[in-house]
Amino acid sequence: MSDWTAHLEQHGARLVDERHIEFGAQESAASARQQSLLAPLIHFAVLEIAGADAERFLQGQTSAQLKLADGSFAAPTSFCTAKGRMLANGQLMRVDEARFWLLLDASLLEPLRSHLAKFAVFYKVELTPRDDLAVLGLIGHDGPPLVERRLDATAPTTWQQIALGGGVVLRHPGDLPRLVLCLPHDEAIGAWQNLAHETLPIGNGVWQLHDIRAGLAWLEVSLQDSYLPQMFNWEALGGISFKKGCYTGQEVVARAHFRGQVKKRLARGRFEGDTLPEPGSAVSDADGKSRGDVVAAASDGDGRVEILAVMTTREVSEPLTVGGQRLEWLELPYPLERLDPEMLATSGG
């Protein structure tokens, strides 16, 4: 057990499994409207890509334009197979001239590292899981001033980054400010102690709920090699550069975009109940035919489950159901149109 995990347990955390952590009965989606929330985001991990050829190596592997990842803009990105299917999506940070960190779902850390290692042997680059880093999430309107007051740092805007000690602070989209702190364990403990005076500790399920409400889905290992980035609405979030050169899967991704061949899209919905569907669970039409797959699910704390699902764009016979529960569709918080990261980087989120 790491000092970071021991610290969390000493302060009331309960590790449900390797991906889920709770803080007792304080799991409420509405809490962030009343006070800032602080969550250990144990479902995220960080892969370091470092070396003299790190930028050149990544430029040929990822949908991000590497020159945009300048230490201020932390680019949303994806890694694909030659057929354009995602192996991972994440957020790419430049932490110094020849060193990048990739924030991604923890279940993909080793699979993606192993995949990239096959190509890394031709470059001066090293791929290192940063197991010494903890990832924290801060939700609420008071989050940015808290970071300034308690951590002596100016909070970044959406998809931007700032340095903090030996780590990085990011900001993710949402209807409430959401800050991500990637810090060495000892600094994470200190940051937690400083922020806990004015926040409510919560489990990472609440953070995942806010991801769903932001229309932001993170690929996990059981969903690998199944979806084009556009099926996760990744180009609507600024996660695909259509102005950069070749990268693995680029031809398929670009052709699908410019020829309008994306036949599935990420959609948001909810249903009554307290049982979370597993990733890949079917969204069925009135005839019992699968019309989509659940890719993210979280409880809202009020007896309902909210989901993101990759759905066919064709007309379907309603009602739609998930596990026998009738599904109600909700609006996404962004338009389904291309958002160039080049514009996102210069606009500051």
Side-chain angles (χ1 to χ4, degrees):
M1 179 185 297
S2 70
D3 290 344
W4 168 242
T5 303
H7 170 80
L8 293 175
E9 292 186 347
Q10 289 168 6
H11 289 79
R14 182 176 71 88
L15 194 64
V16 179
D17 54 43
E18 62 182 11
R19 293 182 58 82
H20 301 95
I21 194 166
E22 294 179 349
F23 277 86
Q26 297 174 327
E27 309 294 313
S28 170
S31 298
R33 301 288 177 187
Q34 302 155 11
Q35 68 180 113
S36 291
L37 308 178
L38 185 61
L41 305 184
I42 65 169
H43 59 292
F44 281 131
V46 175
L47 177 65
E48 180 174 285
I49 304 96
D53 292 338
E55 180 172 338
R56 188 163 65 93
F57 170 71
L58 285 168
Q59 182 74 356
Q61 294 293 331
T62 175
S63 64
Q65 176 62 269
L66 264 291
K67 67 181 181 182
L68 298 177
D70 59 359
S72 295
F73 178 60
T77 191
S78 62
F79 294 79
C80 299
T81 68
K83 295 182 179 180
R85 305 289 168 165
M86 282 197 298
L87 294 172
N89 63 344
Q91 187 174 15
L92 193 62
M93 306 160 256
R94 189 191 293 264
V95 291
D96 61 38
E97 183 62 28
R99 186 158 55 107
F100 296 83
W101 288 355
L102 176 70
L103 181 74
L104 76 168
D105 189 275
S107 69
L108 292 174
L109 181 65
E110 183 53 34
L112 183 66
R113 190 207 63 79
S114 296
H115 169 77
L116 293 178
K118 293 181 290 186
F119 308 97
V121 294
F122 303 106
Y123 296 84
K124 295 178 181 178
V125 66
E126 294 185 0
L127 309 172
T128 307
R130 289 298 304 265
D131 299 329
D132 60 318
L133 297 177
V135 185
L136 290 70
L138 182 60
I139 309 174
H141 289 299
D142 290 337
L146 268 176
V147 166
E148 182 171 352
R149 187 168 63 250
R150 289 286 182 177
L151 303 182
D152 195 26
T154 300
T157 54
T158 303
W159 296 129
Q160 305 289 309
Q161 69 177 78
I162 61 162
L164 180 65
V168 172
V169 181
L170 308 167
R171 183 160 172 173
H172 284 185
D175 63 338
L176 293 171
R178 298 198 302 146
L179 300 171
V180 180
L181 289 69
C182 304
L183 301 172
H185 285 178
D186 58 340
E187 293 182 28
I189 291 172
W192 184 280
Q193 291 171 336
N194 283 329
L195 294 169
H197 294 288
E198 300 182 60
T199 60
L200 176 69
I202 49 100
N204 62 329
V206 175
W207 182 274
Q208 291 169 312
L209 176 66
H210 282 267
D211 267 344
I212 290 170
R213 291 178 172 177
L216 180 57
W218 300 94
L219 196 75
E220 55 107 331
V221 68
S222 69
L223 304 175
Q224 268 194 314
D225 199 11
S226 299
Y227 306 103
L228 295 171
Q230 293 99 319
M231 294 177 184
F232 270 43
N233 297 348
W234 211 231
E235 89 284 25
L237 288 159
I240 306 172
S241 173
F242 292 99
K243 299 180 180 181
K244 66 173 286 185
C246 184
Y247 60 90
T248 304
Q250 181 261 348
E251 183 179 351
V252 177
V253 172
R255 185 169 62 243
H257 173 74
F258 289 111
R259 295 185 181 179
Q261 295 175 337
V262 181
K263 304 302 182 184
K264 296 180 179 179
R265 282 290 188 179
L266 195 70
R268 176 176 163 237
R270 69 182 171 204
F271 57 84
E272 300 291 330
D274 54 11
T275 301
L276 300 184
E278 293 292 326
S281 297
V283 179
S284 302
D285 66 12
D287 301 317
K289 185 176 180 179
S290 177
R291 294 296 187 174
D293 311 312
V294 174
V295 296
S299 171
D300 71 355
D302 295 313
R304 292 173 299 189
V305 172
E306 295 193 20
I307 68 164
L308 292 173
V310 174
M311 298 293 302
T312 178
T313 57
R314 296 177 179 177
E315 188 174 343
V316 298
S317 56
E318 303 228 13
L320 295 174
T321 58
V322 176
Q325 294 289 87
R326 184 165 179 163
L327 186 63
E328 172 193 1
W329 289 120
L330 302 171
E331 288 188 9
L332 288 166
Y334 50 77
L336 284 180
E337 57 189 38
R338 170 176 159 185
L339 174 60
D340 287 326
E342 290 79 5
M343 180 180 297
L344 189 60
T346 57
S347 68

